[in-house]
Amino acid sequence: MGASASATSQAAPFAPTHQADHQGNGMAEHRRSLQSVNIRNSKAKSIITNKVAPVVITNNCREEFQIHDKIQSANYSMGRISDLLPEHYLVLGEFFMVQDVYSRADVLNTTKSYGSPNFRKVKGNYPLFGMGQPSLSGFKQVLQRLQIDGCEVVIFIYLREEPVVFFRSDGDFIPYTPRGRENLHENLHDLDRELSAEQIELSIRKELCDFAKLSENMFYVYNDIEHFKDEPQQVQILSEEDIHVTEEVYKRPLFSQPLHRYYRLPLPMEGAPLEETIDAFVNILRETPNLSLMRNSSRPLPALLFSCQVGVGRTNLGLILGALVFHHLQGASKSPRQEIQKSEHKLDFQVIQLLISRLPKGQQVLDEVDDAVAMCSEMHNIKNAVYENKLKLEGIGEDYQIQGSSTKGYFLQRTLQSLERYVYLLVFNAYLHDQYPQAFPQSFSQWLCMNAWIYRLLASMDSSELSAPASLITDGIRVLVSSEFLATDLLSTAKEMKVANFRRVSKMALYGMAQPNSEALAVVMSYLTDQRRGHSTILWLNLQEELVLEANGQMFTPREPGCLEQPIPVCVQHPQQLQEMELALKQDVLRCEKWLEVITEQDKQMRMFKTCHTIEELFVHQKSIHPGLSYQRIPLSDCCAPKEEIFDHLLEAMKSSLAEDPNCAFIFNCHNGKDRTTAAMVIATLTLWHINGFLECEEDEIVSVPDAKYTKGEFEVVMQVVRVLPDGHRVKREVDVALDVVSETMTPMHYHLREIIISTYRQIKMAKSEADAQWLRLRSLQYLERYIYLILFNCYLHLEKKDSWRRSFSQWMYQVAARAGVYAILNHLGFSEFENPDDSSMARLRFRWLPHSVQSIPMRGQLI
């Protein structure tokens, strides 16, 4: 009986650029098939072709097998770099194989002497080494040199996230990487989050072997992508043994040196690593007894060897991580502080100052990181990179483009990424201080969820400290947009009250509206203090975080020309800073003395303003008429869950006002009286119910609509939180009643803070583009998170009422809710009923809490 040998090829997992047609017919196709079959030391006596597949009979006539080779019909692609170069098969459907490292990249000139480019030991006595990408022989040479230098145990940590394969060449294996035609100098990143780099490398090798079978056992690679002299080069591939993947290069030599270890720890080219990457690094520490604080101090420390492509950026980050570990192992007394020269540049960023002020041993954490940075600075200094990028950012003229690929935008991004990397080193060192003495009972991810205030702080590390001021109106960078354009009067109140969307919660002294001008403010105050309503004490809470001015009696706010409906958040530590910025904007407008472009309800217009007032000035005037009026600015972000501190400010403002007058009226406004105003009115409703008594909560109503449970907010993640909270179902039901009560005041808007969650999520399928879909996905997650925060706030009001809420909501969240796992749930936020939440980076606190615009949302599966 014959045996069947299959050489079936799978389709390339990436979209092809040009399709290669390998279809043939008859005997010619089978001849090509036989040419592609590599039978070493062939024992074939005869080959019989037929319409199914060729049959091979061995020389001794004892074996017969049929070859099923479908490589020709695979969905492979062909392409060329230029019209002058030959066409050939493309890896993963679109990429060329390019030699990984060039000789001029070896700045330290160590390839010949040590086997790897830019091989070095850090300053001081720590057994800490870094290098660029070696070949197979080069890696063996590095291990030999370390052994000669007395390193008994070497832990090699490979930091590359991009796939690398090694081709046989002159007795060695040389590294090559797939690269795109548009940028042959840049490695691939974010190829596929579901596949590891090792899996992609195996797919590449499988393709390369198929390509060789289709091309007389040859494949084209590129060594010189500067001048393309004698390019491309042909390499011979007879079998998989002619191509090594990374694991084979780095693990096989360890069999002759069993004390050595190899790990792959993919780090990003820019910015800070993901939490799970740091978790993997901590697991290396856990698995290595000689890196434990309980280690045998008589034995030498293991050598840590880090490597990326050139041995600069990612290797430098790995070396700093290793230096911090050795510092905690050996103690500050043995750290080589006297032998290193620290950077003279002080990073005077607000986020660093706030972080250090709140971390235990904050100044020590900072000093240790600076020492580690200096120790590892031979090839790259992270602090200098932040400083130099910021200098370049400040030196690129006065023209500013917030979007696009402008030079200023490029350096803004680079500055933020290098700053993020430095700040995460501070956070990691604080984690080591807390967890290393306990042998890491918590992973880095778990520890951050227990200290979620760090995420809040890091979210403020946006471009506000580095980018142009929000008042660039006179330079034409931003435009003034009128309140009529932003606030559609859906409740038809502008005619009577002179302000859009004015409303009141039934039977409560709670009011909401859009941003009023001076005329509307006077009308509303007269309405509230008339004989019928008679409010003698009024607290007005302005929820806008963007800058607002009244000019010529009309309200305006600065906006980006391409995102007129998107507020420009101004990150400030205190609302008073908003008033100062609005004063500066007012002076800027009045000094301009020229026509400015504005966007009104009708169209674009050119205006020259003769009068201009800040919101604060409008309320100062009204307070002189109505002494019982108080005004506060509590900035909220649009469409998001309020930050923990915002709940604190709202609750404290209401408590203080009610202590003075139990009948105090509360008024809330944002730019359009819709999203932020509604959220604050719900918070106020719950607060007043806890003070004055709850309405009777009826049994859950029967809702006869599709997916009724989602309309009622019964998502899996919500119910997961509800199950954790004491009396969670009642707590949720009270929030639902409050949402319904507030929603009744705005029926024509068709806007409900709970129902908008599922309605927004359903719109994703109808999105016109991927960018629109991701924006809707973010919005639905933000609405979902806000709903959960309202439930958490109501639970806090119940549990802390006995102490008159002396402990703030933010303290309760960080001290109580965090320990119950609330932030861990929020760190995997999503609609698990319909999709895997972790498929989107927005499921994570780290990315969801960042300021976002439509242009800044990453594509699905892409991490920032």
Side-chain angles (χ1 to χ4, degrees):
M1 177 179 285
S4 178
S6 175
T8 304
S9 172
Q10 295 182 346
F14 292 83
T17 52
H18 305 285
Q19 298 300 327
D21 184 8
H22 307 300
Q23 301 297 328
N25 53 65
M27 303 304 293
E29 179 179 355
H30 288 301
R31 282 195 293 272
R32 289 196 298 272
S33 176
L34 290 176
Q35 291 171 359
S36 71
V37 178
N38 179 36
I39 306 176
R40 294 200 174 193
N41 301 319
S42 177
K43 298 181 180 179
K45 178 179 180 181
S46 62
I47 300 176
I48 305 172
T49 60
N50 57 54
K51 293 183 179 182
V52 179
V55 177
V56 177
I57 301 175
T58 59
N59 285 325
N60 55 15
C61 298
R62 292 185 178 181
E63 189 175 3
E64 172 187 330
F65 59 90
Q66 193 171 34
I67 300 174
H68 296 278
D69 195 336
K70 296 182 181 179
I71 296 175
Q72 286 80 2
S73 61
N75 189 25
Y76 289 138
S77 305
M78 299 188 73
R80 52 165 60 94
I81 290 179
S82 73
D83 293 338
L84 300 178
L85 297 176
E87 185 179 55
H88 55 82
Y89 291 103
L90 302 180
V91 170
L92 302 178
E94 55 182 311
F95 302 117
F96 302 85
M97 296 304 298
V98 179
Q99 186 170 321
D100 191 42
V101 182
Y102 304 101
S103 58
R104 66 174 181 274
D106 185 13
V107 177
L108 300 183
N109 196 26
T110 59
T111 301
K112 290 185 179 179
S113 55
Y114 285 91
S116 175
N118 300 318
F119 181 87
R120 63 198 182 275
K121 181 180 181 294
V122 303
K123 303 168 187 176
N125 299 319
Y126 294 158
L128 197 54
F129 304 87
M131 65 178 183
Q133 175 69 63
S135 65
L136 173 59
S137 297
F139 180 61
K140 293 178 179 178
Q141 185 179 348
V142 167
L143 294 182
Q144 291 171 358
R145 288 299 300 261
L146 291 175
Q147 191 171 19
I148 292 172
D149 292 342
C151 298
E152 297 179 5
V153 178
V154 176
I155 299 176
F156 175 49
I157 302 178
Y158 192 54
L159 304 174
R160 303 187 68 172
E161 61 177 345
E162 63 270 23
V164 183
V165 296
F166 299 74
F167 287 99
R168 186 190 299 273
S169 176
D170 298 330
D172 196 2
F173 281 84
I174 308 299
Y176 284 77
T177 54
R179 301 183 188 175
R181 178 169 53 186
E182 301 302 321
N183 194 344
L184 291 170
H185 293 274
E186 185 174 326
N187 289 314
L188 306 181
H189 306 285
D190 301 317
L191 275 176
D192 191 334
R193 288 186 60 205
E194 296 182 359
L195 295 177
S196 66
E198 289 85 354
Q199 290 173 312
I200 296 175
E201 288 170 1
L202 291 173
S203 295
I204 291 174
R205 178 163 69 180
K206 174 65 172 62
E207 285 191 3
L208 291 171
C209 290
D210 286 350
F211 297 158
K213 291 177 182 178
L214 296 169
S215 306
E216 299 180 350
N217 297 325
M218 305 300 291
F219 182 74
Y220 285 114
V221 298
Y222 294 83
N223 296 340
D224 177 11
I225 56 175
E226 292 289 341
H227 308 289
F228 292 96
K229 184 179 179 181
D230 301 326
E231 298 295 336
Q233 304 284 323
Q234 284 190 326
V235 294
Q236 187 178 46
I237 302 175
L238 298 177
S239 71
E240 288 191 353
E241 295 177 6
D242 293 321
I243 307 169
H244 280 359
V245 294
T246 301
E247 277 190 311
E248 294 169 331
V249 170
Y250 292 134
K251 282 190 174 180
R252 287 177 177 177
L254 303 185
F255 278 88
S256 60
Q257 297 167 311
L259 294 180
H260 295 351
R261 296 288 182 270
Y262 162 75
Y263 300 93
R264 190 161 191 167
L265 193 74
L267 294 183
M269 290 289 293
E270 307 291 344
L274 296 175
E275 288 82 349
E276 54 262 37
T277 304
I278 301 297
D279 290 343
F281 180 67
V282 172
N283 283 336
I284 296 174
L285 306 182
R286 284 172 168 164
E287 295 171 3
T288 310
N290 218 18
L291 290 177
S292 165
L293 292 181
M294 305 301 292
R295 58 181 289 273
N296 184 351
S297 57
S298 63
R299 299 198 59 184
L301 288 169
L304 294 183
L305 173 62
F306 295 90
S307 173
C308 63
Q309 182 188 8
V310 182
V312 181
R314 290 174 285 185
T315 294
N316 178 257
L317 177 57
L319 289 172
I320 296 172
L321 294 174
L324 291 172
V325 168
F326 282 144
H327 172 85
H328 284 270
L329 277 175
Q330 295 195 333
S333 60
K334 296 184 180 180
S335 64
R337 297 190 64 175
Q338 293 76 24
E339 302 178 26
I340 57 179
Q341 183 176 359
K342 296 170 70 171
S343 172
E344 298 178 358
H345 302 311
K346 182 179 179 181
L347 300 183
D348 191 20
F349 290 91
Q350 195 173 64
V351 64
I352 295 176
Q353 297 169 1
L354 292 173
L355 181 63
I356 295 308
S357 67
R358 292 192 61 175
L359 285 174
K361 303 179 182 179
Q363 189 58 48
Q364 182 181 347
V365 166
L366 177 67
D367 291 340
E368 290 166 356
V369 169
D370 285 349
D371 286 346
V373 168
M375 286 176 59
C376 308
S377 62
E378 183 176 1
M379 292 288 295
H380 180 71
N381 188 300
I382 288 180
K383 289 186 68 176
N384 289 349
V386 180
Y387 183 79
E388 291 165 5
N389 282 322
K390 186 181 180 184
L391 283 182
K392 292 174 183 176
L393 183 64
E394 294 169 347
I396 304 175
E398 296 184 356
D399 292 335
Y400 183 76
Q401 294 179 335
I402 193 71
Q403 303 294 344
S405 56
S406 65
T407 304
K408 192 141 191 172
Y410 169 79
F411 282 110
L412 172 61
Q413 183 71 7
R414 290 295 298 270
T415 305
L416 287 171
Q417 289 173 332
S418 53
L419 176 60
E420 180 192 43
R421 181 168 285 192
Y422 177 77
V423 169
Y424 261 83
L425 286 171
L426 297 175
V427 175
F428 176 69
N429 193 31
Y431 166 76
L432 290 179
H433 271 279
D434 185 54
Q435 294 290 303
Y436 216 153
Q438 308 175 60
F440 303 108
Q442 292 178 337
S443 68
F444 185 64
S445 301
Q446 293 169 334
W447 183 82
L448 270 176
C449 284
M450 292 292 291
N451 295 273
W453 64 268
I454 295 177
Y455 279 128
R456 283 291 184 200
L457 187 59
L458 295 177
S460 68
M461 188 178 61
D462 66 353
S463 59
S464 60
E465 282 192 83
L466 304 168
S467 59
S471 59
L472 288 182
I473 300 299
T474 57
D475 294 332
I477 304 302
R478 289 174 178 156
V479 297
L480 289 173
V481 181
S482 71
S483 57
E484 289 87 355
F485 178 85
L486 297 172
T488 304
D489 186 22
L490 297 173
L491 301 186
S492 302
T493 61
K495 184 175 181 180
E496 178 183 358
M497 302 301 298
K498 306 302 180 184
V499 66
N501 302 322
F502 181 86
R503 64 193 190 277
R504 176 195 175 194
V505 177
S506 177
K507 301 179 182 180
M508 301 180 75
L510 288 179
Y511 301 84
M513 70 190 77
Q515 176 62 57
N517 60 8
S518 54
E519 180 187 10
L521 183 55
V523 170
V524 171
M525 287 304 301
S526 297
Y527 174 85
L528 295 175
T529 57
D530 65 11
Q531 195 169 20
R532 180 180 177 184
R533 278 150 288 271
H535 295 302
S536 58
T537 305
I538 298 170
L539 175 61
W540 196 302
L541 295 164
N542 187 333
L543 307 171
Q544 296 194 81
E545 65 173 353
E546 61 269 29
L547 303 185
V548 185
L549 282 181
E550 184 190 63
N552 288 3
Q554 195 172 7
M555 303 307 298
F556 290 94
T557 183
R559 296 289 169 99
E560 300 291 348
C563 305
L564 295 180
E565 297 185 5
Q566 179 79 20
I568 302 174
V570 181
C571 294
V572 295
Q573 295 302 313
H574 195 277
Q576 183 61 32
Q577 295 173 268
L578 280 174
Q579 165 66 5
E580 295 169 359
M581 297 175 75
E582 285 172 347
L583 277 172
L585 176 57
K586 167 189 170 180
Q587 295 166 1
D588 191 23
V589 170
L590 291 177
R591 281 198 306 261
C592 176
E593 296 183 352
K594 68 178 182 180
W595 296 89
L596 298 175
E597 182 182 16
V598 300
I599 309 295
T600 66
E601 186 177 14
Q602 292 81 21
D603 52 17
K604 293 182 181 180
Q605 298 180 6
M606 300 302 293
R607 297 270 187 92
M608 182 177 287
F609 297 115
K610 297 180 179 179
T611 64
C612 197
H613 301 94
T614 66
I615 300 179
E616 183 89 13
E617 291 170 343
L618 301 183
F619 279 94
V620 168
H621 175 69
Q622 281 298 317
K623 188 173 175 62
S624 66
I625 303 172
H626 303 281
L629 172 65
S630 298
Y631 169 77
Q632 288 190 36
R633 187 85 169 257
I634 302 181
L636 269 69
S637 296
D638 203 28
C639 301
C640 302
K643 300 174 184 176
E644 291 81 355
E645 290 76 10
I646 297 297
F647 285 94
D648 297 342
H649 297 328
L650 289 171
L651 178 59
E652 188 57 37
M654 294 187 66
K655 284 171 56 182
S656 299
S657 298
L658 291 170
E660 294 182 9
D661 182 358
N663 297 315
C664 177
F666 300 94
I667 307 176
F668 302 90
N669 84 270
C670 59
H671 70 289
N672 63 0
K674 189 177 179 181
D675 186 87
R676 290 173 283 185
T677 295
T678 305
M681 291 175 75
V682 173
I683 293 170
T685 299
L686 291 169
T687 301
L688 289 175
W689 283 354
H690 277 274
I691 293 174
N692 300 326
F694 274 82
L695 298 176
E696 289 187 11
C697 292
E698 301 178 357
E699 294 297 322
D700 290 347
E701 60 177 326
I702 299 175
V703 183
S704 57
V705 297
D707 295 330
K709 70 174 187 176
Y710 303 130
T711 303
K712 293 161 61 178
E714 296 176 0
F715 299 94
E716 289 183 8
V717 68
V718 173
M719 303 315 294
Q720 187 179 0
V721 173
V722 167
R723 289 192 294 270
V724 170
L725 301 178
D727 207 2
H729 289 278
R730 179 167 70 97
V731 168
K732 176 185 179 298
R733 187 161 57 249
E734 290 168 353
V735 170
D736 289 335
V737 173
L739 290 170
D740 295 338
V741 167
V742 174
S743 178
E744 288 174 1
T745 69
M746 47 194 296
T747 302
M749 283 188 179
H750 300 289
Y751 185 79
H752 194 294
L753 288 187
R754 184 187 64 242
E755 295 174 2
I756 197 174
I757 301 171
I758 188 63
S759 65
T760 303
Y761 181 81
R762 285 171 177 157
Q763 293 176 42
I764 295 174
K765 293 182 179 179
M766 298 177 287
K768 296 180 180 179
S769 67
E770 179 66 10
D772 289 344
Q774 294 313 311
W775 180 249
L776 289 168
R777 177 168 279 104
L778 171 64
R779 277 289 181 250
S780 60
L781 288 172
Q782 289 174 327
Y783 293 146
L784 179 63
E785 184 175 40
R786 180 172 59 189
Y787 180 52
I788 292 174
Y789 261 79
L790 291 172
I791 295 172
L792 290 168
F793 179 67
N794 192 34
C795 181
Y796 156 78
L797 291 175
H798 275 289
L799 298 179
E800 297 293 315
K801 183 176 181 178
K802 61 182 182 297
D803 294 325
S804 301
W805 304 296
R806 281 197 290 267
R807 175 160 52 184
S808 68
F809 176 68
S810 56
Q811 291 173 330
W812 180 83
M813 284 289 288
Y814 298 141
Q815 297 171 5
V816 179
R819 297 183 182 280
V822 165
Y823 285 110
I825 295 173
L826 293 173
N827 202 35
H828 295 277
L829 186 69
F831 300 91
S832 55
E833 301 90 341
F834 313 116
E835 61 185 15
N836 181 3
D838 293 334
D839 285 346
S840 171
S841 62
M842 293 303 143
R844 302 164 180 246
L845 297 173
R846 172 176 174 177
F847 301 113
R848 192 172 63 252
W849 284 359
L850 291 172
H852 291 290
S853 66
V854 177
Q855 290 85 352
S856 70
I857 303 299
M859 295 298 101
R860 183 170 177 82
Q862 176 184 348
L863 294 179
I864 299 176

